[in-house]
Amino acid sequence: QVQLQESGPGLVKPSEILSLTCSVSGGSISGQYWSWIRLPPGKGLEWIGNIYYSGSTNYNPSLKSRVTISVDTSKNQFSLKLSSVTAADTAVYYCARNLNGYYFDYWGQGTLVTVSS
Amino acid sequence: DVQVTQSPSTLSASVGNTVTITCRASQSIVDWLAWYQVKPGKAPKLLIYRASSLESGVPSRFSGSGSGTEFTLTISSLQPDDFATYYCQHYYNYPWTFGQGTKVEFK
């Protein structure tokens, strides 16, 4: 059973960089796509972007200028960096697997990141 | 971008009821649509993929239908564990987008 776990700071200051890591267990990160998704309070889910295990990426155009997703196959992890954050970036951030590059079949439990000074 | 419009935003129901949630896409997405159940503090759960395929382990009271631009999720005989928020998501092309969500609450 594949399991995903998000980790990173729960509080980030405005204008700084939000950094999160997703650790994958119970299966290899190789051969699949992996995504970041967020859920702002009182709003709906938003897909941030994904990465193939080889390193190729796709980003949501609404965030593309501020997002970097990377992968470390040796650690079975992938990461998210979101720069120049504002209060609007406060959300629960989820990592998930895209089965064969399509829908999200495994998700992490999510981690709340608050942007505040 | 393909926009996905989900309705209703809130749905009040009782245990045993049958409920239906609708998603409409701004253009044909064939059957590239999935449905998820989201609860606070828990990992979201895939229910349906390819519009009507039931994910392994998901109870058969959940069913999906539709193609092109109109899709529905039906929950037959609602159970206490089903009170949650449900989202549709298209994966026809990038960027993938979700519907606005439907909160199923106790009547």
Side-chain angles (χ1 to χ4, degrees):
Chain A
Q1 179 83 345
V2 175
Q3 292 186 311
L4 296 89
Q5 180 67 57
E6 305 89 351
S7 60
L11 181 64
V12 181
K13 290 182 168 53
S15 80
E16 296 191 344
I17 297 174
L18 179 159
S19 294
L20 295 173
T21 295
C22 183
S23 299
V24 180
S25 59
S28 174
I29 207 167
S30 295
Q32 294 291 349
Y33 285 83
W34 304 88
S35 272
W36 288 98
I37 301 133
R38 68 181 184 179
L39 181 61
K43 297 188 178 182
L45 292 166
E46 179 180 34
W47 175 72
I48 298 170
N50 69 6
I51 190 164
Y52 193 47
Y53 77 102
S54 61
S56 63
T57 55
N58 297 283
Y59 297 134
N60 192 323
S62 67
L63 296 166
K64 186 174 184 176
S65 64
R66 299 193 292 130
V67 172
T68 302
I69 298 175
S70 58
V71 64
D72 187 336
T73 54
S74 67
K75 294 182 178 179
N76 233 33
Q77 294 177 336
F78 62 104
S79 298
L80 169 70
K81 290 189 185 302
L82 182 65
S83 64
S84 304
V85 297
T86 69
D89 296 308
T90 293
V92 175
Y93 285 78
Y94 298 99
C95 57
R97 187 178 82 167
N98 294 126
L99 182 63
N100 298 325
Y102 297 127
Y103 48 87
F104 311 107
D105 63 338
Y106 288 103
W107 297 64
Q109 285 195 311
T111 186
L112 175 63
V113 179
T114 302
V115 179
S116 174
S117 56
Chain B
D1 298 358
V2 176
Q3 305 302 317
V4 181
T5 303
Q6 187 175 340
S7 62
S9 57
T10 306
L11 197 159
S12 298
S14 302
V15 172
N17 286 171
T18 293
V19 300
T20 299
I21 300 168
T22 298
C23 270
R24 291 187 174 86
S26 58
Q27 66 180 73
S28 175
I29 56 171
V30 192
D31 60 357
W32 301 110
L33 186 102
W35 291 94
Y36 304 90
Q37 179 191 68
V38 179
K39 294 182 178 180
K42 298 188 73 174
K45 183 179 181 181
L46 171 67
L47 302 172
I48 303 286
Y49 61 94
R50 286 295 294 272
S52 61
S53 295
L54 189 68
E55 172 70 349
S56 176
V58 174
S60 58
R61 62 180 180 274
F62 291 92
S63 63
S65 64
S67 65
T69 61
E70 290 254 341
F71 303 87
T72 59
L73 172 71
T74 300
I75 312 172
S76 304
S77 188
L78 202 65
Q79 298 301 299
D81 191 49
D82 300 339
F83 291 92
T85 302
Y86 294 85
Y87 291 88
C88 58
Q89 176 241 337
H90 89 82
Y91 48 100
Y92 176 73
N93 59 7
Y94 291 120
W96 298 334
T97 55
F98 291 86
Q100 295 83 351
T102 296
K103 184 176 183 179
V104 177
E105 59 180 24
F106 288 103
K107 191 171 186 178

